Amino acid sequence: MMMLVNCSGCRTPLQLPPGARSIRCAVCHAVTHVADPRSMPLPPSTSFSAATPPPPSPYGAPWGPPPSPHGKKKAVICGISYRHSRHELKGCINDAKCMRYLLINRFHFPESSIIMLTEEETDPYKIPTKHNLRMALYWLVQGCQPGDSLVFHYSGHGSQQRNYNGDEVDGFDETLCPLDFETQGMIVDDEINAAIVRPLLRGVKLHAFIDACHSGTVLDLPFLCRMKRSGEYGWEDHRPRSGVWKGTNGGEAISFSGCDDDQTSADTSALSRITSTGAMTFCFIQAIERGQGATYGSILNSMRSTIRNTGDAMGGGPVTTLLTMLLTGGSAGGGLSQEPQLTACEPFDVYTKPFSL
């Protein structure tokens, strides 16, 4: 059985193989030595009833002091182009670079607090493989304290697979596709939720921006904002009937995603007119730059309006030459028909809650 140890360098939780006496961290590269692996505690259980409060987090006390105005800002940005494969995308690394620029220059994230995972990175531990992406997500939440602001941005392929444990309303798990997904497998929404949602303490906030197909509920957050074209909205309850807890440990988690669970997301040059981008990432950054980022509702409406107007202008025909290959067979006809989604750990008024990172 795998056991957890904290990295001696950055305190990232690491899975120690049975019988191993040391392990190298993929994030900081430190080697952690263990005297006797059999003495290590078992990993904490992550399944419990939503009817009762979650047990104490292994990452810290759930109800700490009020948030500090001087918390850390940390981000993981992942852009995957799947170069030289039949799944190749054109705009995902552009998305990653643009998001990094936005976080540093608009939201004042320190450059040193951003981990970039793309195929262009020279550090082998920052290539967007399944293992490296998992380690980066552990790093993102490790040691989080009240006042911290965390960001996870992903631009790449997403997919779905049949759910068998009853915790999905539609019967499917949503997934992210790391660079080596064809050999190592996809990362399922249950794992993403366990890695970066449930550890969040009171006063810690996480924003995720997922530009991928089938990404509506890929963080498995309990509530989805169902918004009409008129701007009217209501929160759908996506808490699983199985009773498995999908919320945080007192913190706040909010996700913008490129499309609904049954939709595909475009990788296209139709929006920028210059280079390929993910439609969702482009529209989010544009909303911020145009001064439409005051509230979550204004951002979501701006993103949807831009995509809808682009699709209407195309008339459904020229987009065929603009979309690159979509992993799960999304249609290239009909314009940009995707609808960005907003999910959260708790419902809130999207038109009064200020957006801030």
Side-chain angles (χ1 to χ4, degrees):
M1 176 179 288
M2 292 289 215
M3 292 177 281
L4 289 183
V5 297
N6 284 334
C7 170
S8 59
C10 65
R11 310 303 296 169
T12 296
L14 305 174
Q15 289 186 329
L16 186 72
R21 296 300 179 96
S22 64
I23 186 168
R24 182 187 179 95
C25 177
V27 178
C28 73
H29 306 170
V31 176
T32 301
H33 297 278
V34 180
D36 183 358
R38 293 170 295 181
S39 66
M40 298 302 299
L42 294 176
S45 173
T46 55
S47 296
F48 42 92
S49 171
T52 59
S57 168
Y59 299 90
W63 310 117
S68 162
H70 307 294
K72 301 188 301 294
K73 292 190 174 190
K74 298 170 65 179
V76 169
I77 299 176
C78 180
I80 314 177
S81 67
Y82 312 90
R83 288 175 180 168
H84 312 302
S85 80
R86 62 192 179 94
H87 307 303
E88 185 167 355
L89 295 171
K90 302 298 185 185
C92 296
I93 294 180
N94 291 335
D95 291 343
K97 291 177 179 178
C98 289
M99 196 69 180
R100 180 179 183 273
Y101 182 90
L102 183 79
L103 292 182
I104 292 171
N105 293 280
R106 178 56 68 96
F107 295 105
H108 311 297
F109 277 63
E111 292 186 45
S112 60
S113 73
I114 299 175
I115 286 184
M116 289 281 287
L117 299 174
T118 75
E119 289 121 303
E120 292 186 350
E121 297 296 316
T122 57
D123 184 340
Y125 295 102
K126 294 182 180 177
I127 302 299
T129 63
K130 184 176 184 178
H131 176 76
N132 287 348
L133 181 52
R134 278 174 162 174
M135 289 299 99
L137 293 179
Y138 280 129
W139 169 86
L140 183 64
V141 299
Q142 176 61 34
C144 61
Q145 297 294 326
D148 288 358
S149 176
L150 314 177
V151 168
F152 172 44
H153 174 263
Y154 173 91
S155 181
H157 278 305
S159 189
Q160 291 180 304
Q161 63 184 38
R162 178 69 65 180
N163 169 264
Y164 294 101
N165 64 2
D167 70 347
E168 292 286 347
V169 173
D170 61 359
F172 288 92
D173 283 315
E174 285 64 52
T175 64
L176 300 181
C177 302
L179 182 61
D180 55 355
F181 76 95
E182 290 186 292
T183 57
Q184 300 302 311
M186 300 179 286
I187 299 180
V188 182
D189 51 12
D190 300 87
E191 178 180 351
I192 300 168
N193 182 276
I196 62 174
V197 173
R198 275 178 267 181
L200 297 175
L201 310 177
R202 178 175 179 265
V204 178
K205 63 181 178 181
L206 166 75
H207 286 88
F209 304 91
I210 311 298
D211 199 343
C213 296
H214 309 293
S215 54
T217 63
V218 75
L219 261 69
D220 257 2
L221 294 174
F223 297 95
L224 181 145
C225 178
R226 190 65 74 185
M227 182 174 284
K228 300 179 181 177
R229 284 196 174 200
S230 63
E232 296 178 74
Y233 74 93
W235 288 95
E236 286 184 357
D237 189 339
H238 280 242
R239 287 176 292 186
R241 291 183 292 272
S242 65
V244 176
W245 177 254
K246 294 290 186 178
T248 70
N249 208 1
E252 183 176 34
I254 298 173
S255 176
F256 284 99
S257 53
C259 61
D260 211 345
D261 284 343
D262 62 353
Q263 295 178 329
T264 55
S265 291
D267 180 51
T268 177
S269 60
L271 291 159
S272 74
R273 309 290 183 185
I274 299 173
T275 186
S276 293
T277 64
M280 177 265 174
T281 301
F282 180 92
C283 292
F284 169 73
I285 293 175
Q286 185 179 75
I288 300 299
E289 296 297 338
R290 287 182 172 179
Q292 297 166 328
T295 67
Y296 293 88
S298 64
I299 293 173
L300 188 60
N301 272 313
S302 174
M303 293 168 63
R304 288 184 162 202
S305 177
T306 298
I307 289 177
R308 185 164 57 244
N309 292 340
T310 302
D312 291 344
M314 288 176 178
V319 73
T320 301
T321 62
L322 295 169
L323 295 180
T324 63
M325 183 182 301
L326 297 175
L327 176 64
T328 50
S331 171
L336 299 182
S337 59
Q338 68 189 82
E339 295 179 321
Q341 302 294 322
L342 176 69
T343 57
C345 60
E346 296 289 348
F348 58 87
D349 186 336
V350 300
Y351 292 118
T352 61
K353 184 177 178 65
F355 173 78
S356 65
L357 293 181

